[in-house]
Amino acid sequence: MRLFAVVFAASVVGCASTHPTPAPQAVRITNSRDVVKYCNSLGLVESNDKTNGGAVTQMPVERDRYRRLQNEAAKLGADMVLLQESTPGMQTDNELRGEAYKCVLR
């Protein structure tokens, strides 16, 4: 009977539905509000030295800040980021800000 309970519990856990977060590489970045017109907003994300833990990488800065933005969006379950226009004096060269979205294919 005990073996049956263990097998039953394992099968129930294995059948539980989960919603895996997308891989950061699958998060697309756009400047067009039309692209996210029918998507659900998940919140704001930003890429700066704090979101990378201040780690020094060998990756070029331009690509690195987009990668960090994708990582932050993926943590929210997003698959798209709408970049925010930068306000002069409000962002440094290493920062990007955007709104994370989950877009459902029709």
Side-chain angles (χ1 to χ4, degrees):
M1 184 69 177
R2 185 175 182 159
L3 178 62
F4 174 75
V6 170
V7 171
F8 178 75
S11 66
V12 170
V13 170
C15 294
S17 68
T18 60
H19 300 284
T21 59
Q25 298 84 356
V27 176
R28 294 182 14 214
I29 298 175
T30 184
N31 289 321
S32 174
R33 192 162 287 285
D34 288 339
V35 173
V36 296
K37 187 178 355 182
Y38 300 108
C39 302
N40 296 320
S41 174
L42 300 177
L44 298 176
V45 291
E46 65 179 13
S47 165
N48 57 39
D49 292 337
K50 294 176 195 160
T51 59
N52 196 30
V56 176
T57 65
Q58 298 299 318
M59 191 179 305
V61 172
E62 183 70 18
R63 202 169 89 201
D64 188 40
R65 65 189 190 141
Y66 285 98
R67 176 86 38 91
R68 290 190 308 238
L69 192 68
Q70 289 173 307
N71 287 339
E72 293 301 310
K75 288 178 188 176
L76 296 177
D79 56 12
M80 182 75 66
V81 173
L82 174 64
L83 289 177
Q84 291 182 344
E85 291 186 30
S86 63
T87 306
M90 295 299 288
Q91 285 185 210
T92 66
D93 291 339
N94 291 332
E95 290 181 320
L96 280 177
R97 289 191 177 105
E99 189 168 357
Y101 286 89
K102 178 68 176 176
C103 301
V104 180
L105 298 176
R106 294 179 174 209

